[in-house]
Amino acid sequence: MLKIAIQAKGRLNEQSLELLSEAGIRVAESKRKLISRAEGFPLEVLYLRDDDIPQAVSMGVADLGIVGLNEVAEKGFAVEQLMDLGFGGCRLSLAVPRTADYEGPDFFHGKRVATSYPNILARYFAEKGIEAEIHTIEGSVEIAPAVGMSDAIFDIVSSGGTLISNGLTEVEKVFFSEAVLIAAPDLDRAKRTEVGQLTFRFNSILDSRDMKYVLMNLPQERLDEAIRILPGMRSPTVLPLAQEGWCSIHAVIDKAQLWERIERLKAIGAEGILILSLENMIR
């Protein structure tokens, strides 16, 4: 049985459980629990602090983890990054007081910068040749300049609203993060087989989010043209209709190409076009 570590609470916890649910894996309520047994897959779920997940996976306490890439990069533990999960997007940015005279990264020479991500920041400053004092703090990093603890901050930014409310301006976007699936580096063959089954489910869900399932009726004589327009994942599904000379076509189309393809199909006589969400069909 695999063990997967997820964040104990917060938005990433909710999104991780939602992904598991979409994959047919039901997890019991986790209130005041460290571990829950899942149904629908041989899996146990461990609830940990996000910054403890990379270490737990590296040590083999958990076989897998769902955690922000920022935590993986900051902690530096030996883990295998298996896939991006498409949620939990954010960035780590440098921000300065609105009143600061900022003209570029050289601003930070000799400055004190407060952060909960000193390793990522140190690597950035080293790349830029900047010598600054990195002041590591936990909790509300954004208040550090206001209380005189720092000249600037390096912190997670989503919408930017927290910076604005604390009189700060985002000036350098340094690191982009989202939730990732990580694995212990020394999993045995049996566990790697189970991991492959799990990642297949996850990939199928993520792929479906950018796809649409399209059904339409078309004159049989225009079928070859339609197939060239709608290659589908391998080729469209074609079914005969009761009305002679007509067929029904079923295909999966990337939503970025959807409307251009639909217009071309209408031009060759497609009728009764129905568009469905592939993601909802999988659920």
Side-chain angles (χ1 to χ4, degrees), residues 52-65 67 71-82 181-187 192:
D52 290 334
I53 292 175
Q55 183 177 11
V57 173
S58 177
M59 294 173 61
V61 174
D63 304 304
L64 299 170
V67 67
E71 294 295 344
V72 177
E74 175 61 27
K75 300 304 180 184
F77 290 105
V79 297
E80 183 179 349
Q81 186 179 330
L82 298 182
L181 181 68
I182 59 174
D186 55 354
L187 294 179
R192 286 202 174 273

Side-chain angles (χ1 to χ4, degrees), residues 72-76 118-128 134 175:
V72 177
E74 175 61 27
K75 300 304 180 184
N119 293 323
I120 296 175
L121 181 58
R123 289 194 291 269
Y124 173 78
F125 280 160
E127 290 170 2
K128 297 291 185 181
I134 297 175
F175 187 90

Side-chain angles (χ1 to χ4, degrees), residues 26-62:
R26 298 170 298 283
V27 183
E29 288 290 331
S30 63
K31 293 178 181 178
R32 297 179 182 174
K33 288 185 179 180
L34 173 63
I35 187 168
S36 292
R37 179 71 62 87
E39 297 179 5
F41 198 85
L43 189 71
E44 288 182 328
V45 179
L46 280 65
Y47 301 94
L48 303 176
R49 283 172 50 98
D50 57 346
D51 52 359
D52 290 334
I53 292 175
Q55 183 177 11
V57 173
S58 177
M59 294 173 61
V61 174

Side-chain angles (χ1 to χ4, degrees), residues 216-223 226 238-249 271:
M216 71 202 73
N217 298 330
L218 188 79
Q220 186 75 35
E221 63 187 22
R222 310 306 293 268
L223 180 57
V238 181
L239 302 172
L241 294 180
Q243 184 176 347
E244 187 175 350
W246 282 77
C247 61
S248 173
I249 298 180
E271 298 179 358

